[in-house]
Amino acid sequence: MLVVKTGRVDQRYADGLDVTMKSGAGIGKLLAPTKAMVFGYKSGTGDQRFAKYKPLSDAEYTEQYLELLRERFINNDETFHQLVQRKSVTLQCYCGKGKFCHRRILAEYVLPKLAAYYGIEYQYAGEQ
């Protein structure tokens, strides 16, 4: 069984996985959104520092993120399989607790489907 939690990068977790475009590595980098997505989302929330990026709503960001992960899965299916074979993982990024965030899309939508695809039990244990 895979137990998944979510939390911020600035916390220490024994099973932590940084899934950010800024500092993620390995499988974490595969799960990270693109710079255009992150900055587009920030632009869409009115953050003027990112005004040059195409604004994205929650729905647009989610759609783009899911498409990105589908493409990455096609070329890295064994890496994704290794992820869901872990006993536990805490998905970490810079977003605040309870905010719209790709780590929650991963934990609540993508990873349950991926685990089911591989016949692995799944539990989301919530935000840390």
Side-chain angles (χ1 to χ4, degrees), residues 2 27 31 69 73 76-85 106 109-122:
L2 171 62
I27 183 63
L31 299 173
L69 290 180
F73 175 78
N76 301 280
D77 62 320
E78 184 53 38
T79 304
F80 281 83
H81 189 200
Q82 290 171 4
L83 172 64
V84 295
Q85 289 177 315
L106 281 169
Y109 182 77
V110 174
L111 292 182
K113 288 184 178 267
L114 189 61
Y117 176 80
Y118 287 113
I120 296 169
E121 288 185 60
Y122 181 88

Side-chain angles (χ1 to χ4, degrees), residues 12-55:
R12 300 267 186 220
Y13 301 99
D15 63 351
L17 179 63
D18 180 338
V19 295
T20 67
M21 60 119 186
K22 184 176 179 179
S23 54
I27 183 63
K29 194 69 161 176
L30 278 179
L31 299 173
T34 65
K35 180 178 181 179
M37 290 171 60
V38 172
F39 292 170
Y41 182 76
K42 290 180 181 198
S43 174
T45 64
D47 190 327
Q48 292 303 306
R49 296 174 298 166
F50 304 98
K52 72 177 187 177
Y53 289 88
K54 179 186 179 293

Side-chain angles (χ1 to χ4, degrees), residues 80-92:
F80 281 83
H81 189 200
Q82 290 171 4
L83 172 64
V84 295
Q85 289 177 315
R86 296 179 180 196
K87 291 187 186 301
S88 67
V89 64
T90 301
L91 304 170
Q92 297 178 265

Side-chain angles (χ1 to χ4, degrees), residues 57-98:
S57 67
D58 291 5
E60 291 168 321
Y61 180 96
T62 299
E63 183 179 327
Q64 286 185 23
Y65 184 59
L66 293 175
E67 182 58 34
L68 177 68
L69 290 180
R70 284 183 200 100
E71 292 171 11
R72 289 177 177 172
F73 175 78
I74 289 168
N75 297 313
N76 301 280
D77 62 320
E78 184 53 38
T79 304
F80 281 83
H81 189 200
Q82 290 171 4
L83 172 64
V84 295
Q85 289 177 315
R86 296 179 180 196
K87 291 187 186 301
S88 67
V89 64
T90 301
L91 304 170
Q92 297 178 265
C93 77
Y94 296 96
C95 296
K97 187 174 183 177

